[in-house]
């Protein structure tokens, strides 16, 4: 399911492969339309996997990135996950109609912590089913917000998301009390079937070295806003490396 080398390291990764792991995040609440356009153009230059924009910016991003091969993604129930399932379904369908191909939805954290895993699974299933009926091939990622969960709750969330047909489980929104940790990534990878469910690391990934560590810990996709700095760092290291 991944185009990454089996042996992930700075030696085996290319700048192009690293860029293709990144969902470039444009989610700051104060971001202007011009900044969104600029961020989309950066994604087109670097050939990232996707851009992840606010729901109000999906049409702008879809217009900017048409024909570039960069997918347009957005967030659902963001950042707290507390909207009713019916609202999340409406958000998902509206986003797809505006041009989104990937959806990063926040699960209902309070319901999960209440032990109501069946409700969490049902909600995810409703969003997944509606999204894939509207757009076959739509990629749905479920944000756990790991910094608010116990390890047992993280495992339960991973299994609920997998059972509901989600394509990814994701560590964080980047707007809570913590971001991606290597321990959480390893736990999420161990709690899901790699043949069906991938792992996305998001929150606090600002350097090339940490991105590589996240990939080594089991992540397939990386949410980041420091895309240019990360990819340019690898290009610089490759350029300065002594020839064999």
């Amino acid at each position: 399911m991944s185009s990454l080398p089996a042996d992930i390291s700075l030696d085996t990764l290319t700048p192009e492969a690293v860029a293709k792991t990144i969902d470039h995040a444009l989610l700051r609440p104060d971001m202007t339309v011009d900044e969104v356009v600029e961020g989309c153009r950066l994604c087109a230059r670097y050939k990232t996997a996707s851009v992840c924009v606010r729901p109000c910016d999906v049409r702008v991003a879809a217009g900017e990135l048409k024909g570039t091969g960069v997918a347009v993604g957005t967030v659902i129930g963001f950042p707290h996950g507390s909207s009713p399932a019916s609202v999340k379904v409406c958000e998902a369908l509206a986003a797809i109609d505006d041009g989104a191909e990937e959806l990063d939805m926040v699960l209902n954290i309070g319901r999960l912590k209440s032990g109501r895993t069946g409700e969490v699974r049902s909600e995810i299933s409703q969003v997944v089913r509606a999204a894939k009926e509207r757009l076959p091939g739509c990629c749905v990622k479920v944000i756990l917000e790991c910094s608010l969960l116990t390890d047992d709750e993280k495992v339960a969330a991973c299994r609920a998301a997998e059972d509901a047909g989600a394509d990814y489980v994701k560590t964080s929104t980047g707007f809570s009390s913590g971001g991606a940790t290597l321990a959480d990534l390893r736990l999420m990878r161990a709690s899901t079937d790699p043949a069906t469910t991938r792992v996305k690391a998001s929150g606090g990934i600002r350097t090339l070295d940490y991105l590589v560590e996240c990939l080594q810990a089991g992540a397939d996709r990386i949410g980041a806003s420091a895309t240019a700095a990360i990819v340019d760092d690898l290009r610089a290291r490759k350029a300065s490396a002594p020839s064999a």
Side-chain angles (χ1 to χ4, degrees):
M1 297 179 71
S2 173
S3 60
L4 292 169
D7 177 21
I8 296 171
S9 70
L10 287 170
D11 291 334
T12 60
L13 288 168
T14 65
E16 293 76 18
V18 167
K20 275 300 178 190
T21 69
I22 295 176
D23 293 344
H24 184 67
L26 300 173
L27 295 169
R28 280 193 354 256
D30 60 334
M31 187 164 277
T32 67
V33 174
D34 286 344
E35 288 175 308
V36 172
V37 170
E38 181 182 354
C40 289
R41 291 176 179 173
L42 181 149
C43 290
R45 290 197 305 275
Y46 282 80
K47 301 296 182 186
T48 59
S50 80
V51 66
C52 190
V53 297
R54 302 168 302 189
C56 63
D57 298 321
V58 171
R59 287 194 182 206
V60 173
E64 285 293 327
L65 292 168
K66 184 177 181 179
T68 65
V70 177
V72 175
T74 192
V75 288
I76 305 297
F78 195 84
H80 299 130
S82 53
S83 301
S86 58
V87 174
K88 291 180 180 179
V89 168
C90 287
E91 281 190 273
L93 296 179
I96 291 169
D97 289 346
D98 283 346
E101 305 162 77
E102 302 196 353
L103 306 174
D104 290 31
M105 68 163 288
V106 188
L107 58 70
N108 193 312
I109 300 161
R111 291 293 189 270
L112 179 70
K113 294 190 72 67
S114 299
R116 299 190 176 192
T117 311
E119 290 183 34
V120 174
R121 184 187 306 109
S122 175
E123 173 191 85
I124 298 168
S125 179
Q126 290 175 60
V127 174
V128 170
R129 183 171 59 252
K132 292 182 183 292
E133 285 177 356
R134 184 64 59 91
L135 179 67
C138 181
C139 179
V140 180
K141 311 178 193 115
V142 176
I143 305 172
L144 278 54
E145 203 67 281
C146 288
S147 63
L148 303 181
L149 306 179
T150 66
D151 282 354
D152 285 346
E153 289 164 348
K154 294 166 197 173
V155 171
C158 284
R159 291 176 178 165
E162 184 167 81
D163 289 347
D167 299 287
Y168 280 84
V169 287
K170 175 179 170 181
T171 57
S172 325
T173 61
F175 288 83
S176 187
S177 56
T181 71
L182 301 180
D184 283 341
L185 290 168
R186 293 186 187 107
L187 179 63
M188 292 162 71
R189 181 67 285 161
S191 303
T192 50
D193 182 351
T196 59
T197 310
R198 287 167 279 186
V199 175
K200 177 175 173 179
S202 185
I205 303 169
R206 302 182 180 91
T207 68
L208 172 62
D209 292 298
Y210 194 53
L211 179 145
V212 172
E213 286 187 273
C214 288
L215 295 177
Q216 291 169 336
D220 300 276
R221 196 81 73 88
I222 304 293
S225 56
T227 300
I230 289 168
V231 177
D232 288 348
D233 185 8
L234 183 55
R235 286 175 177 160
R237 295 194 203 189
K238 295 284 188 183
S240 64
S243 301

